[in-house]
Amino acid sequence: MEMNDLADAYQRVLERITEAAIRSGRDPSAITLVAVTKTYPAGTILNAYELGMRHFGENRIEELAEKRAIIEQSLGPANDITWHLIGPLQSRKAPLAASHADLFQALDRPKIAQRLARQLQGSGRVLPTLLEINISGEDSKAGLPCHQWETNPQQQTNLLQIVTTLLTLPQLQLHGLMTIAPWHVPIGEVRAVFRRTRNLLQWLQGQFPQINWSTLSMGMTDDFELAIEEGATHVRIGRAIFGQRM
Ligand SMILES: *Cc1c(COP(=O)(O)O)cnc(C)c1O
């Protein structure tokens, strides 16, 4: 994508974020844009950086590590980028995530938490982490099963258990939830998924007041305005900024 086109697309997304925030009585500066760069080359990330983007999201840890290394050759290792791992992690790749991700948005199993914490222990790093939850109940979606969290005691117990596990692992700093809305469903269903995710965050806040539940990562190219209206603090946007992926 040409620099001019990228600049225009980015400005348009910023405007849409601002408009959605104002429409819902929120402060636009309370919303963080995570530019999702999966499949786009490192050169595109450098252009995005030049335009002011500072949060980048990748869904595969190998790709994140590779691009991060390239970017650090240009900008130096002490740059101001935050690298978000937004896809699920296999436990054998925990070492890569422990050394290259700045924030892990897709934790959904206690086993991964334990593997990550063990890796982090060596380096003394703390990894900010979000629980990925599956509210829509679609099998294709990763995340903790939460499609009946309001009424299903088993789903509540599983949630309480994973949070309790995280409290024993100071290397992982839990601070919120991430979710992906279903595709190709009526807008009302998408809104309901976002609203129920926010309600779940509030419920967890009541259960674990010692945790700072500050982050709600939801909304992508097709639904980020709805997500902002329903309380998203982080939106993860790829195509609306960088164009269609190959
Ligand atoms: C790819 C991806 C996004 C961004 O999707 P777009 O539709 O390109 O905005 C957001 N979140 C996750 C978890 C993704 O994998």
Side-chain angles (χ1 to χ4, degrees):
M1 203 182 211
E2 296 289 327
M3 195 65 170
N4 279 345
D5 294 337
L6 183 59
D8 288 347
Y10 175 49
Q11 281 313 314
R12 183 70 196 120
V13 165
L14 289 182
E15 282 164 18
R16 288 170 63 188
I17 289 172
T18 300
E19 285 160 13
I22 288 171
R23 183 159 73 231
S24 39
R26 302 186 54 202
D27 176 0
S29 71
I31 294 151
T32 300
L33 169 61
V34 180
V36 177
T37 47
K38 64 187 184 201
T39 78
Y40 302 106
T44 301
I45 302 180
L46 280 177
N47 288 343
Y49 182 87
E50 212 171 300
L51 292 171
M53 291 176 243
R54 292 295 180 269
H55 292 261
F56 295 103
E58 290 282 342
N59 66 337
R60 293 177 48 246
I61 187 59
E62 297 93 332
E63 196 174 334
L64 185 156
E66 222 170 88
K67 290 179 186 169
R68 181 175 188 148
I70 298 171
I71 300 302
E72 288 184 353
Q73 278 172 6
S74 296
L75 302 178
N79 57 67
D80 52 355
I81 291 178
T82 302
W83 293 92
H84 298 245
L85 178 60
I86 61 175
L89 186 67
Q90 293 165 283
S91 61
R92 67 191 166 85
K93 295 179 185 163
L96 264 184
S99 50
H100 293 94
D102 295 317
L103 198 148
F104 180 33
Q105 295 209 8
L107 183 69
D108 63 358
R109 276 170 298 156
K111 187 181 157 208
I112 300 287
Q114 269 144 359
R115 281 294 289 273
L116 268 174
R118 210 174 316 136
Q119 290 296 330
L120 288 157
Q121 215 160 19
S123 64
R125 287 183 88 212
V126 170
L127 184 63
T129 302
L130 307 180
L131 281 181
E132 179 175 358
I133 59 165
N134 179 344
I135 286 274
S136 66
E138 286 183 306
D139 288 342
S140 60
K141 296 270 188 290
L144 278 169
C146 290
H147 52 284
Q148 300 174 318
W149 76 265
E150 296 92 338
T151 52
N152 183 319
Q154 188 59 50
Q155 291 187 358
Q156 292 180 359
T157 304
N158 288 346
L159 272 163
L160 298 177
Q161 248 164 16
I162 192 165
V163 177
T164 304
T165 299
L166 284 166
L167 283 173
T168 69
L169 304 171
Q171 298 81 10
L172 295 176
Q173 189 181 65
L174 180 62
H175 60 100
L177 302 178
M178 183 271 251
T179 201
I180 301 176
W183 291 296
H184 311 303
V185 302
I187 192 172
E189 270 177 55
V190 176
R191 188 183 290 281
V193 163
F194 292 148
R195 188 164 298 176
R196 292 177 58 211
T197 304
R198 186 189 58 200
N199 291 342
L200 176 53
L201 187 87
Q202 279 163 356
W203 182 75
L204 287 165
Q205 216 149 27
Q207 301 287 326
F208 299 96
Q210 68 273 51
I211 292 175
N212 176 22
W213 296 95
S214 59
T215 303
L216 202 45
S217 173
M218 52 189 200
M220 305 168 35
T221 287
D222 293 328
D223 53 27
F224 69 88
E225 286 145 313
L226 269 183
I228 290 169
E229 288 170 19
E230 295 301 329
T233 64
H234 287 60
V235 289
R236 310 176 309 269
I237 301 179
R239 289 168 299 138
I241 301 172
F242 301 110
Q244 205 65 32
R245 279 181 291 273
M246 295 302 134

